[in-house]
Amino acid sequence: MVRNNNNNHGSFSSIKTYLNALKHTPQRLIQRVGSVSTTFDEETRRVRCGNMRKTLRWYDLICFGVGGMVGAGVFVTTGHAAHDKAGPAVVLSYAIAGFCALLSAFCYTEFAVHMPVAGGAFSYIRVTFGEFMGFITGANLIMDYVFSNAAVARSFTTYFGTAIGVSAQSKWRITISSLPKGFNEIDLIAVLVIIILTLVICYSTRESSLLNMSLTALHILFILFVIIMGFWRGDTKNFTKPSDPTRPGGFLPFGAPGVFNGATLVYLSYIGYDAVSTLAEEVKDPVTDIPIGVTGSVILVTVLYCLMATSMSMLLPYDLINPEAPFSGAFIGKTNGWKWVSNVIGVGASFGILTSLLVAMLGQARYLCVIGRSNIVPVWFAKVHPKTSTPVNASAFLGIFTAAIALFTELEVLLNLVSIGTLFVFFMVANAVIYRRYISVETKSPWPTLSFLLCFSLTSVIFTLLWLLLPNGKPKVFVLGACSIVAIALVILFNYAVPQARTPDFWGVPLMPWIPCVSIFLNVFLLGNLDGPSYARFAFFSVLAVIVYAAYSVHASFDAEEGILSHENLENMKDPIDLEDLTLKVQK
């Protein structure tokens, strides 16, 4: 183990000690990159930095899940998916995407019940694959949250303007010609919304939940209104007949590829349930409440999305659907006094945007808080306010950061920077849940499990590339079928050859390893359908995260590890038997 001669003062006490620490970077990377945390470590860090108050129940989690998912996404992605990808079969696209989200939710739930801390996917990856992969996961998730929240805040301005009949572009945004296009429209309303919600989440999680419940209830009423209007004013012939006879017709105008391409696009509407897992530390009864809250919200949202897609497909032929505003656009051109419906839909979308923004901002703050507890970013972010029991520092910092980006960055620019990081994290969590089930301290060798995960992921990548590159026809069907048989054979062989090393004490993913494997495949498949800018963003921020880790995080983590058993640190543990108390409570 590499020792720092200035260890008593840490690696950052002076320029000299920092330069000395940089000399030992390679050795420290070897020591810290693969260091795996434990559940006990996560709990003791939580105790040292302050406890978040346990105030949430399953119905709070369902409302947070619904509020986080049913936001601006469905009002935008549905139009693009129906008009350009799947046609009326966008209903099937939503069902497939919901199924994929449910499988990922199962994987999240097993971790959240076993380890009810606020770190979400960061903590799950850290205790499975080590500190470095955990940091890359957390960094990408936070950047995804910040960019998507900034995009959602700017879309609030647009939808709110639609609701009251004002053009946000000309009335509420200030254009500065000296700035480059895409960054030259100042949106003060988006900034104001972010600041208000930041103050709310800093004040109290319980009050945030009550606000979310109120907004979500109103939003659900508007969604039901949209569904009813579609079934009432729509026509079933629009399921099969486009307005232009030269366009492909039928329920599947673009075939099965169009359905799956549509599922890739609309899957972004489901991203938000992972934020619920970051609230696990504040749940009264994790064993009961988390499974109901996470899986229940995904199922409920899937049903609502399928009904909304059906409603929209009945209102207009797919080739007349407005990709930018599919629901409100269906009534803008209507006569006979139906234009008011578009204003009502604008109000509903505004409520949805606020709820999704609130939940996402709660999630991003808790991710940063737990990363701070791990000492790989300044521990200042990990402080929990003693009066509010919320991570005020992390919430305020990310709120200001998000507001600054939302102030001037256009929606189109931001949307190109979102999604791939989240799908990558879902992929990693599915791998992690298999790894933890089949690997333990008593396991002789992890290589059978690691080899299976690598082979299955590679098979999924090959299937995805063949799907994208081969022309349609019998050869493509034959090759894809052969690839599917190989993937299924790998799972069967692994299931019989490698026994599970541990069984969950409270709640576990059913049909192990089939459900996580299907989740791995679907996430790889969806990743393969993303565009080039998404991969460019992922590469850029991953490289940036590696630089930050090597320049700061590995040294801060090393210092914390060296001093973890010091008398001073032991005294800072306010309640060293908190984990034992938690375990006893869970068993009851």
Side-chain angles (χ1 to χ4, degrees):
M1 181 182 293
V2 179
R3 297 285 177 180
N4 185 354
N5 294 331
N6 298 294
N7 187 55
N8 291 333
H9 303 289
S11 300
F12 306 96
S13 58
S14 67
I15 296 178
K16 182 178 179 180
T17 57
Y18 178 64
L19 293 175
N20 182 57
L22 288 179
K23 295 178 183 178
H24 298 291
T25 299
Q27 300 97 312
R28 292 183 176 184
L29 285 172
I30 293 173
Q31 178 182 332
R32 298 301 307 162
V33 162
S35 60
V36 178
S37 180
T38 66
T39 304
F40 180 78
D41 293 334
E42 297 295 323
E43 288 291 337
T44 53
R45 291 188 187 100
R46 174 179 65 83
V47 171
R48 285 198 299 270
C49 296
N51 295 317
M52 298 185 200
R53 190 176 295 119
K54 295 182 179 295
T55 59
L56 304 179
R57 296 304 309 269
W58 62 267
Y59 44 83
D60 294 293
L61 298 183
I62 287 181
C63 286
F64 274 126
V66 173
M69 284 182 275
V70 187
V74 68
F75 289 99
V76 177
T77 60
T78 309
H80 286 286
H83 186 272
D84 304 325
K85 305 291 184 182
V90 67
V91 178
L92 300 180
S93 297
Y94 268 112
I96 292 170
F99 178 68
C100 182
L102 183 62
L103 298 184
S104 292
F106 281 145
C107 300
Y108 267 84
T109 301
E110 177 168 328
F111 274 111
V113 170
H114 174 69
M115 189 171 56
V117 295
F122 165 76
S123 295
Y124 310 155
I125 302 302
R126 178 179 165 84
V127 302
T128 306
F129 296 124
E131 179 178 279
F132 176 70
M133 287 306 301
F135 180 75
I136 296 297
T137 297
N140 270 286
L141 267 175
I142 288 176
M143 293 311 300
D144 278 342
Y145 269 115
V146 168
F147 285 129
S148 61
N149 288 342
V152 168
R154 287 183 71 92
S155 67
F156 173 83
T157 305
T158 302
Y159 273 103
F160 186 64
T162 301
I164 63 175
V166 174
S167 172
Q169 187 76 17
S170 59
K171 299 292 185 180
W172 290 345
R173 287 183 179 146
I174 304 170
T175 302
I176 301 178
S177 57
S178 59
L179 294 176
K181 183 174 176 57
F183 303 90
N184 61 342
E185 293 188 358
I186 305 301
D187 192 333
L188 295 176
I189 292 180
V191 173
L192 181 63
V193 168
I194 291 172
I195 291 175
I196 292 173
L197 292 180
T198 299
L199 293 174
V200 171
I201 66 175
C202 285
Y203 178 70
S204 169
T205 303
R206 179 70 252 172
E207 273 64 36
S208 298
S209 176
L210 293 175
L211 175 62
N212 176 71
M213 282 184 180
S214 302
L215 293 175
T216 299
L218 290 172
H219 185 40
I220 294 297
L221 290 177
F222 283 104
I223 287 176
L224 293 176
F225 171 78
V226 170
I227 294 170
I228 292 170
M229 290 300 299
F231 279 90
W232 178 26
R233 299 291 299 174
D235 192 333
T236 54
K237 73 176 183 180
N238 291 329
F239 280 131
T240 55
K241 294 183 180 180
S243 64
D244 185 355
T246 62
R247 297 290 299 271
F251 184 67
L252 297 164
F254 304 104
V259 174
F260 285 103
N261 290 336
T264 303
L265 190 59
V266 303
Y267 188 71
L268 302 182
S269 300
Y270 287 93
I271 292 175
Y273 67 83
D274 65 304
V276 178
S277 69
T278 66
L279 300 170
E281 188 174 309
E282 298 159 86
V283 176
K284 288 185 176 181
D285 186 1
V287 175
T288 302
D289 293 339
I290 292 176
I292 295 175
V294 176
T295 59
S297 61
V298 173
I299 292 172
L300 179 58
V301 167
T302 301
V303 172
L304 289 174
Y305 279 170
C306 289
L307 289 174
M308 290 182 73
T310 303
S311 168
M312 183 194 65
S313 297
M314 291 176 64
L315 279 171
L316 289 173
Y318 78 88
D319 56 331
L320 291 183
I321 292 173
N322 183 350
E324 301 299 330
F327 294 100
S328 58
F331 290 94
I332 286 178
K334 297 279 186 182
T335 56
N336 301 325
W338 287 102
K339 186 178 179 181
W340 62 272
V341 178
S342 64
N343 300 89
V344 175
I345 293 173
V347 174
S350 300
F351 283 121
I353 290 169
L354 288 177
T355 58
S356 63
L357 191 57
L358 175 66
V359 175
M361 290 178 68
L362 281 166
Q364 71 179 15
R366 278 143 186 81
Y367 272 123
L368 186 57
C369 172
V370 175
I371 295 174
R373 289 175 182 173
S374 302
N375 295 286
I376 50 181
V377 298
V379 73
W380 181 82
F381 291 115
K383 298 298 182 182
V384 175
H385 196 279
K387 291 184 178 179
T388 65
S389 297
T390 59
V392 172
N393 294 351
S395 301
F397 173 80
L398 289 177
I400 294 171
F401 189 21
T402 304
I405 294 175
L407 177 64
F408 61 88
T409 311
E410 270 299 308
L411 183 64
E412 289 77 10
V413 175
L414 291 168
L415 289 179
N416 282 332
L417 302 175
V418 182
S419 79
I420 187 171
T422 308
L423 286 172
F424 170 75
V425 172
F426 293 168
F427 166 79
M428 290 297 297
V429 171
N431 279 275
V433 79
I434 294 176
Y435 187 88
R436 280 186 63 81
R437 280 283 197 101
Y438 289 87
I439 301 296
S440 68
V441 177
E442 296 79 16
T443 304
K444 292 182 179 179
S445 173
W447 284 110
T449 301
L450 286 174
S451 299
F452 163 72
L453 293 175
L454 290 172
C455 290
F456 187 82
S457 296
L458 180 60
T459 305
S460 301
V461 171
I462 293 173
F463 181 96
T464 303
L465 292 176
L466 293 173
W467 174 275
L468 295 172
L469 300 178
L470 289 181
N472 292 330
K474 289 184 178 180
K476 180 176 182 177
V477 174
F478 175 78
V479 173
L480 292 178
C483 195
S484 302
I485 291 173
V486 170
I488 294 171
L490 282 172
V491 180
I492 294 174
L493 179 63
F494 174 73
N495 193 32
Y496 281 98
V498 182
Q500 291 190 36
R502 67 181 78 187
T503 302
D505 295 327
F506 309 114
W507 194 95
V509 177
L511 300 177
M512 180 66 75
W514 289 98
I515 284 181
C517 285
V518 175
S519 180
I520 290 171
F521 169 78
L522 290 175
N523 281 299
V524 169
F525 186 78
L526 295 176
L527 281 167
N529 284 274
L530 293 175
D531 57 10
S534 297
Y535 283 94
R537 183 217 66 84
F538 182 69
F540 173 79
F541 283 110
S542 293
V543 170
L544 183 63
V546 170
I547 294 173
V548 172
Y549 182 80
Y552 175 84
S553 301
V554 70
H555 306 293
S557 175
F558 176 84
D559 290 345
E561 182 70 19
E562 290 293 289
I564 197 168
L565 296 179
S566 68
H567 179 69
E568 181 182 356
N569 281 341
L570 290 174
E571 285 185 345
N572 285 337
M573 293 178 64
K574 301 175 184 178
D575 185 10
I577 62 170
D578 185 77
L579 178 60
E580 183 177 335
D581 290 342
L582 176 63
T583 304
L584 291 173
K585 181 179 179 180
V586 167
Q587 289 174 339
K588 291 179 182 178

